[in-house]
């Protein structure tokens, strides 16, 4: 059977974006129609000659609205930046690597303003509806990314992840989301939220596609170098720790049932499953009680905008930044130093395990209507961010896999697999095997 050309697949993606009955207007804030068509035609021409630039050559990719693209301002989901940001003089490092690898960049996707919430709502450019239930949020902050993938507007979406912004939307929309070890992917040219915690990762339908995107963005596969598909890890004998305590606290019914079923599947596959308690989680909570690291760093980035145009910032985002502005310099320094100590302690603690497993989020996607109430928004935001935040705080790598739906009407639930910093490739091998076990 003849495979469809890149240009054909691109035209289908563009049609999905342009569909007035779809989510394209809310999911994709900038559409690179002409440039994408030229890139697709070039990819098809290379394919006809047997030339490949790597595993993403000819794949349709979207990028989050916070990545610089030369010749245009970088909005980061903000009305203020859309009006005031200077034109980017160069592509972000990740965008350069994608282009060099032959990826066809079709659009910039919508996001929470300044990337500062796990809900995915945006009052300036609209909130994309969850692909499973359009009345529900897609998760954030990379809100347009999962919708673009699920609705066929792209094949792989690139987002950022400071506290869960790749894994949360992947989990809520039934997709795969990978947060690499932070230092592996350059954040040059990506509008910051937290200089300490920001990382970049892909959202896709499969672990295999996340591997391909990660390989190009992190390792820069060059033309002529053969891409070797990921070898699945053997599950029998694998040391899997189930994180007890905080990650399992107050799970909603759908998440609890799906997670329990996943553990049964895993147990039957032959790994050595142990239930692990972590006093380090309590230590993390104590450190973050002083205000957390991301909020004061966000304050440093946005304090001038707050003074000039606070009324033009999403109130839910503004409230979080203003809380960061109330953190003292002494408390911030204490948190940074204490975190560094706890990162080392967690790395040592995980030395006896191959991976740690927990639900990606404690709840399924809330409705757009319920998070219109600021108090409900804050509560749901905390519930969505709680487990994923652990990974960023302890400087680990993690991936969210979609679990089998507990019923035909159920919302998606994600299983998060976690590994030590630098163990990305091993984590991906394990994730691919677990995804196969679940039938993904």
């Amino acid at each position: 059977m003849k495979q469809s050309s890149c240009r054909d697949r691109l035209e289908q993606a563009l049609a999905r974006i342009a569909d007035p009955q779809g989510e394209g207007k809310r999911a994709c804030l900038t559409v690179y129609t002409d440039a994408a068509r030229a890139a697709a035609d070039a990819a098809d021409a290379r394919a006809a000659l047997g030339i490949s630039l790597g595993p993403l050559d000819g794949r349709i990719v979207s990028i989050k609205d916070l990545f610089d693209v030369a010749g245009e301002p970088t909005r980061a989901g903000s009305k203020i930046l859309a009006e005031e940001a200077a034109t980017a003089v160069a592509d972000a490092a990740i965008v350069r690597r994608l282009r060099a690898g032959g990826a066809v960049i079709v659009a910039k996707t919508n996001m929470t303003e300044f990337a500062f919430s796990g809900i995915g709502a945006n009052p300036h450019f609209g909130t994309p509806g969850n692909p499973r239930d359009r009345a529900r949020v897609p998760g954030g902050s990379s809100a347009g990314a999962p919708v673009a993938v699920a609705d066929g507007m792209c094949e792989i979406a690139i987002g950022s992840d400071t506290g869960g912004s790749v894994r949360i939307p992947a989990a809520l929309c039934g997709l795969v989301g990978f947060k690499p070890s932070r230092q592996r992917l350059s954040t040059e040219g990506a509008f910051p939220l937290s200089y300490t915690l920001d990382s970049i990762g892909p959202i896709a339908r499969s672990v295999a596609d996340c591997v391909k995107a990660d390989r190009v963005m992190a390792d820069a596969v060059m033309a002529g170098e053969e891409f070797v598909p990921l070898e699945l890890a053997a599950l029998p004998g694998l040391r899997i720790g189930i994180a007890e305590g905080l990650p399992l606290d107050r799970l909603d019914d759908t998440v609890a049932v799906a997670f329990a079923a996943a553990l049964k599947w895993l147990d039957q596959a032959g790994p050595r499953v142990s239930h692990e308690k972590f006093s380090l989680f309590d230590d993390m909570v104590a450190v973050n009680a002083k205000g957390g690291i991301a909020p004061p760093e966000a304050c440093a980035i946005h304090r001038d905008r707050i003074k000039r145009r606070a009324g033009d910032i999403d109130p839910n985002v503004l409230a979080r930044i203003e809380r960061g502005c109330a953190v003292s310099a002494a408390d911030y320094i204490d948190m940074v130093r204490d975190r560094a100590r706890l990162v080392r302690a967690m790395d040592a603690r995980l030395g006896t395990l191959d991976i740690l497993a927990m639900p990606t989020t404690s709840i399924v996607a809330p409705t757009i209507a319920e998070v219109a109430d600021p108090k409900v928004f804050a509560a749901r935001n905390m519930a969505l961010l709680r487990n994923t935040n652990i990974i960023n705080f302890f400087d680990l790598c993690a991936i969210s896999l979609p679990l089998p739906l507990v019923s035909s009407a159920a919302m998606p639930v994600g299983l998060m697999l976690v590994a030590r910093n630098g163990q990305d490739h091993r984590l991906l091998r394990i994730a691919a095997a677990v995804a196969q076990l679940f039938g993904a």
Side-chain angles (χ1 to χ4, degrees), residues 90-137:
D91 289 345
I94 291 303
V95 176
R96 294 198 300 270
R97 289 194 170 191
L98 291 169
R99 294 196 201 279
V104 176
I105 298 177
V106 65
K108 267 190 175 178
T109 53
N110 198 357
M111 58 181 283
T112 301
E113 187 169 15
F114 305 142
F116 211 4
S117 101
I119 297 290
N122 188 305
H124 310 302
F125 304 108
T127 300
N130 188 298
R132 180 72 174 168
D133 179 353
R134 299 300 186 190
R136 294 177 182 268
V137 301

Side-chain angles (χ1 to χ4, degrees), residues 129-169:
N130 188 298
R132 180 72 174 168
D133 179 353
R134 299 300 186 190
R136 294 177 182 268
V137 301
S141 64
S142 306
V147 178
V149 172
D151 287 3
M153 302 175 201
C154 67
E155 294 164 341
I156 301 169
I158 309 303
S160 66
D161 191 311
T162 304
S165 291
V166 162
R167 290 159 291 151
I168 293 169

Side-chain angles (χ1 to χ4, degrees), residues 282-340:
D282 297 329
D283 295 335
M284 177 196 72
V285 171
V287 170
N288 284 335
K290 295 181 177 181
I293 290 172
E297 292 187 347
C299 174
I301 294 164
H302 297 292
R303 56 188 169 182
D304 175 65
R305 293 184 188 92
I306 291 175
K307 291 177 182 177
R308 294 185 297 106
R309 299 186 61 174
D312 290 326
I313 299 173
D314 178 347
N316 292 308
V317 172
L318 177 65
R320 298 189 75 193
I321 298 174
E322 288 181 330
R323 284 197 293 273
C325 293
V327 175
S328 71
D331 281 345
Y332 172 74
I333 292 170
D334 282 347
M335 286 188 289
V336 170
R337 289 173 59 85
D338 288 341
R339 173 181 179 260

Side-chain angles (χ1 to χ4, degrees), residues 346-378:
M346 178 61 82
D347 184 69
R349 173 68 174 82
L350 294 178
T352 59
L353 299 170
D354 291 305
I355 56 167
L356 197 62
M358 64 183 79
T360 307
T361 63
S362 64
I363 61 173
V364 297
T367 66
I368 295 173
E370 67 182 301
V371 297
D373 181 330
K375 291 183 179 179
V376 176
F377 182 101

Side-chain angles (χ1 to χ4, degrees), residues 219-300:
D219 299 334
V221 173
M222 303 304 292
E225 181 182 347
E226 182 181 358
F227 172 73
V228 180
L230 197 70
E231 180 183 349
L232 272 63
L235 293 181
L238 203 69
R239 300 167 301 174
I240 300 179
I242 309 303
E244 297 281 343
L246 181 65
L248 302 184
D249 184 35
R250 289 170 293 167
L251 303 181
D252 76 16
D253 291 343
T254 302
V255 174
V257 170
F259 184 66
L263 295 188
K264 289 183 179 179
W265 282 53
L266 282 173
D267 192 52
Q268 293 170 2
R272 290 184 288 165
V273 178
S274 59
H275 292 262
E276 304 285 337
K277 295 183 179 180
F278 287 83
S279 61
L280 288 168
F281 292 160
D282 297 329
D283 295 335
M284 177 196 72
V285 171
V287 170
N288 284 335
K290 295 181 177 181
I293 290 172
E297 292 187 347
C299 174

